[in-house]
Every structure is written in C-alpha cells, then in structure tokens.
Amino acid sequence: MRTLWQHCHAATMAGGRYAIIEDAAIITAAGRIEWLGPRAELPSSAVAHSVDLAGAWVTPGLIDCHTHAVFGGNRSGEFEQRLQGVSYAQIAAQGGGIASTVRATRAASEDQLFSSARQRLEALMRDGVTTVEIKSGYGLDLANERKILRVARRLGDELALTVRATCLAAHALPPEYAGRADAFIEHICQQLLPALADEGLVDAVDAFCEHLAFSPAQVEKVFIKAHELGLPVKLHAEQLSSLHGSSLAARYQALSADHLEFMTEQDAVAMAQAGTVAVLLPGAFYCLRETQLPPIDALRRHGVKMALASDLNPGTSPGLSLRLMLNMGCTLFRMTPEEALAGVTVHAATALGLGDSHGSLEVGKVADFVAWQIERPAELAYWLGGELPKRVVRMGHELNL
Ligand code: DI6
Ligand code: FE
C-alpha cells in the first residue's frame, strides 16, 4: 500500500545532520521511502491513503546498536554492593559480575530468556526504537551461546523490530576454562564460532578486550576467524584501561569499537581511516561512576562517526530508554543534541552494517520512522526518560505500541 504522511517536519539525519525539511511529506510504498520532500513539491501521482501527522517532527526510527538484552536474572544485589564502595573489578574477582549472569543464563530456558528479553525490548520500542543489536556472551559455551542467539533471532521474528545478532563468546572466561584463556579462545575459533555461523545465527563478532577479559593478541585470533567466516567484527575496547583495542579493531575494518573512555588520539586516527564507528555508552560510564571521559574532541577532529547506545545489560547499564542515553550523551559527554540524534540513527546504522538501508530518511531506505509530538528535535535529548507522545512507523506500517 502506498501511503502519504504529511503535516510534519522532518529531521532526515542524512549525512549525519538534522537536514531539516519544514512542512514535509513522505510517501511510503512496499516498506520503503518512495518520496520525501517539502509538501509544496509533492508529485501529483495518486496516493490511496493519507495520514495527518498534526505538526509532528519525524526522525528515522531509533537504532540501539549495542545491547546485551538476552540474559537470566539481574544484578541489583551487586548494584547495592557497588553503592557500598565495592568496585566492578572486585565483584568480578569474587565470582560475581559477568560470571553470575552466566550462571543465571545457563540455568534459564529459551522461553524464559525470550519472555524477559521481550519485556526489555518492548520498553525500548515504546521509546521509538525500531532496530536493535543483541549480543550473546552470557552463555560462554556452544549450547548456551546458541540458546541466546536463537532467542535473538526469535525476538526479531516475533516483535516488530529489526534485530542484528552479534556473537560475543569472547566476553569472559567460563569457569570450565579457568586459568586457560588461550584454550578458550582456541575453542571459540575452532568450534563455537564456525558452528554458530554455519547455523546462520551470527551477523557480527564481538569481543571484550580488557585486562579482566581478553588481550589484544587473543582478540586478534577471534577477528581472523570471523573474517575467514565472512563475518564483520566489533570490539569492546578501552572501557577501563588502554590496550589499543580500538586500533586493532580498525586494522580489521571493524564496524565499530565501543566504550572508548581510555582511547588515545592515535586510536582515533586509526578508526577514522578505517571508517570504524565509535559507539559511546554513557549508561555504563554513569553506572560505574567513571570519571575518564571518552575523547569526544579528538573523535570530532579526526572525523570519527559517533554512535550512542544503551549497552543494556544486567551489570553495568540496566538501561531501558535510548532517549535517556541521548540526554546522558549530551550532559555527561558534552555531545550536541544533533550529534546525539545522529548517534542513534544514521551512525548507529553504520555501526551495524546497515548504513545503506537504515538510519536516515532518504528515498529507497526502509520506511522506519517516528513522528514525535515535540516542538524542536533537541527535545529528544532534553527530556529525561518518560514517554513522549509519538507514532512509530516500521516498514511503512504504523505500530500499535
Ligand atoms: N562491557 C560492558 O559494559 C558489559 N560487557 C562488557 O564487556 C558488562 C557486562 C556485565 O557486567 O554483565
Ligand atoms: Fe557492552
């Protein structure tokens, strides 16, 4: 069905800018944007169905390009411990942290994981999210990583949401490999990753490069295998210390390097040259009460594209609102509201390898957009959470959220 959406303004985000069209009209057909421009220039071709958006601001559907949304249990007990002064690294060393979520996730059935993740994703969707990335990484063996990735696929099938699934098996060392990190990396490369890729469960491969996780040399082995399997890579890098994982990611043309608080200017140069997106995660920065800011100025100076994401996970960022991350990106990281919105639309799409089809309002792209009842686009970063009145359109059809 061809639909005309009118009486609205559009912030198209083409080229990473608001790129505003006042009094805009959008024609969608077959799930794509067929025409977009000032209403005064609307072609006269017949349209069956017209929708009055009552002066709303239309943006691309929001894209949360870094989540760990599928997990068992939660870690509110550790939240209380951290409030008492115990650090994230200390909790991990005591067998808590990621390891405790691994235990809960291994114990959960596929249906249990599906229904808890579904509730979290529905919260994101009510906030205007139409595309989400979901990482595995709380299974840490073949059967349980498979379970998480199958749940991610099922969420994409059953919810009105585009889901990209990332295999993050190199997230932490499972107990059965204690003291044998190289052997676990070998297992990932020889068995786990090839099997899951063969089953069509993996869109990208990620790893956690950090002193309390895996070294750059270990991560590189995973990257080499990912490329052999024809899969793009991403990396958790420079979150707690500087190991130049982001430069390593750039050498492997990573879609993104994420966190980056401790990255150097040289890392930024490498990422700019490779076109690797910097995914910034203010929710984790905030929850861990970090003080070292990601080098936003260096990223800007070298032209690295910046995305923003929730990092939705039970340990460091139990964030259920991507718009709240826009506010934190501005308030904590000093991004502009325009940069923040580009970070959850056009640059987030690039961070998922979806830059040609998603992330901006342009002719030929998928018709995913949100019509917000706001006066200015900056309001998307201004309000602290809550629900803004809006209409969400996915693949040309309005959702009933
Ligand atoms: N960095 C993060 O912020 C999450 N994973 C990672 O590598 C935290 C995961 C957790 O604490 O459960
Ligand atoms: Fe993460």
Side-chain angles (χ1 to χ4, degrees):
M1 182 173 62
R2 177 177 276 109
T3 305
L4 167 64
W5 310 81
Q6 58 182 341
H7 302 127
C8 60
H9 309 295
T12 72
M13 306 320 288
R17 310 300 312 269
Y18 282 150
I20 282 166
I21 305 172
E22 286 187 13
D23 195 6
I26 302 169
I27 298 175
T28 58
R32 303 253 162 188
I33 297 175
E34 187 182 85
W35 189 90
L36 163 82
R39 194 160 57 100
E41 296 172 17
L42 196 59
S44 52
S45 56
V47 169
H49 176 61
S50 158
V51 181
D52 184 339
L53 292 173
W57 274 92
V58 178
T59 69
L62 305 189
I63 298 175
D64 194 344
C65 67
H66 180 141
T67 86
H68 311 244
V70 177
F71 56 83
N74 76 66
R75 307 230 295 275
S76 55
E78 289 180 12
F79 169 66
E80 291 184 290
Q81 274 185 286
R82 287 208 310 277
L83 293 176
Q84 300 297 327
V86 188
S87 75
Y88 182 68
Q90 284 168 324
I91 291 171
Q94 292 160 8
I98 293 173
S100 82
T101 298
V102 170
R103 287 190 291 276
T105 304
R106 286 179 171 184
S109 70
E110 223 169 277
D111 282 342
Q112 286 167 332
L113 292 175
F114 177 84
S115 81
S116 64
R118 175 199 196 119
Q119 287 175 31
R120 296 188 273 268
L121 294 183
E122 283 175 345
L124 292 175
M125 291 167 73
R126 282 193 298 274
D127 208 30
V129 170
T130 51
T131 298
V132 76
E133 185 245 25
I134 299 176
K135 301 177 193 296
S136 66
Y138 292 121
L140 305 184
D141 62 23
L142 178 57
N144 286 290
E145 289 291 297
R146 176 188 285 127
K147 180 170 69 176
I148 296 169
L149 292 168
R150 281 170 52 93
V151 169
R153 285 282 185 252
R154 190 173 148 204
L155 288 160
D157 290 342
E158 295 191 25
L159 301 185
L161 188 66
T162 300
V163 173
R164 301 296 281 178
T166 297
C167 182
L168 174 60
H171 190 199
L173 206 54
E176 57 276 18
Y177 277 91
R180 297 189 296 134
D182 286 327
F184 183 54
I185 292 292
E186 193 64 18
H187 171 62
I188 290 173
C189 293
Q190 297 313 319
Q191 274 141 39
L192 193 147
L193 209 47
L196 298 176
D198 189 53
E199 291 167 34
L201 292 172
V202 184
D203 299 318
V205 175
D206 196 349
F208 188 15
C209 187
E210 194 59 66
H211 287 299
L212 52 77
F214 298 100
S215 69
Q218 290 165 336
V219 169
E220 187 161 13
K221 291 190 174 145
V222 176
F223 281 1
I224 289 169
K225 177 53 72 174
H227 278 194
E228 266 177 46
L229 296 168
L231 295 169
V233 300
K234 307 167 80 70
L235 191 63
H236 282 69
E238 272 71 77
Q239 180 182 9
L240 307 168
S241 64
S242 169
L243 298 179
H244 302 290
S246 42
S247 288
L248 170 68
R251 278 207 300 288
Y252 283 82
Q253 297 86 42
L255 293 172
S256 70
D258 304 37
H259 287 288
L260 302 175
E261 280 82 349
F262 288 84
M263 76 184 291
T264 64
E265 180 127 18
Q266 279 317 306
D267 296 325
V269 171
M271 286 176 62
Q273 282 169 356
T276 297
V277 176
V279 177
L280 305 175
L281 303 166
F285 175 91
Y286 165 79
C287 289
L288 294 179
R289 296 171 179 245
E290 286 185 43
T291 52
Q292 168 107 7
L293 288 163
I296 301 286
D297 280 339
L299 292 168
R300 279 190 191 119
R301 215 170 31 249
H302 295 290
V304 180
K305 290 174 179 166
M306 292 184 282
L308 271 173
S310 68
D311 197 13
L312 169 52
N313 77 70
T316 60
S317 191
L320 297 173
S321 163
L322 190 55
R323 262 191 328 99
L324 179 57
M325 300 303 146
L326 295 188
N327 179 275
M328 288 187 176
C330 296
T331 306
L332 298 174
F333 292 171
R334 297 277 175 246
M335 294 170 80
T336 66
E338 184 173 24
E339 286 173 329
L341 185 58
V344 295
T345 54
V346 60
H347 299 327
T350 303
L352 295 183
L354 296 175
D356 290 338
S357 55
H358 291 72
S360 60
L361 303 175
E362 292 181 77
V363 170
K365 284 200 170 183
V366 172
D368 287 359
F369 54 83
V370 185
W372 308 89
Q373 287 297 334
I374 54 176
E375 290 175 22
R376 306 176 62 240
E379 279 184 64
L380 297 177
Y382 161 75
W383 298 105
L384 278 169
E387 276 203 33
L388 294 183
K390 76 183 96 52
R391 299 168 76 163
V392 180
V393 174
R394 177 164 181 270
M395 294 181 171
H397 294 283
E398 183 162 0
L399 302 183
N400 191 2
L401 293 172

